[in-house]
Every structure is written in structure tokens, then in C-alpha cells.
Amino acid sequence: MSITVCPDGPLLVRGGYQLLDGDDRPIDPGRATVALCRCGASSIKPFCDGSHKRARFRAR
Ligand code: FES
């Protein structure tokens, strides 16, 4: 598994991983690579929907 921090954007998770919700229930991402929101603006959390651009999210 690898996690890539996108500048001012999501975390890209690739490879063998298991995604769990807050109650430790599995979330099926439906794909091998996922983009996880870290800006808080996504309407499909925990996944990124591109809203970080409209929100002008800055990681620094
Ligand atoms: S990081 Fe993309 S919507 Fe939050």
C-alpha cells in the first residue's frame, strides 16, 4: 500500500488496504485506488469529490 499526499488536495491510497468507517465496518471503495478527502468539503466523504478546489483548500 502507498499513500500519496496531493498538494492542497486529497490523500491517494493505492494497493492492498482495508477502509473502515468509525464503527470499524468495512467501506467498499469499489476500486484499487481511492482519493480520501482531507479538506472537509466533500459531499461524498470519506472520498474526495473535487470540492477542495472550490473551497480553495490549502494544506499549509
Ligand atoms: S480533498 Fe478533495 S474534496 Fe476534500
Side-chain angles (χ1 to χ4, degrees), residues 20-55:
L20 304 173
D21 70 10
D23 296 318
D24 288 336
R25 292 179 298 221
I27 298 173
D28 180 6
R31 60 189 68 171
T33 299
V34 293
L36 298 179
C37 176
R38 66 179 176 134
C39 76
S42 175
S43 61
I44 57 168
K45 294 179 188 86
F47 305 106
C48 170
D49 68 356
S51 294
H52 58 273
K53 293 177 184 170
R54 283 191 306 280

Side-chain angles (χ1 to χ4, degrees), residues 5-18:
V5 179
C6 296
D8 302 329
L11 302 174
L12 294 182
V13 183
R14 299 180 177 96
Y17 62 86
Q18 185 177 26

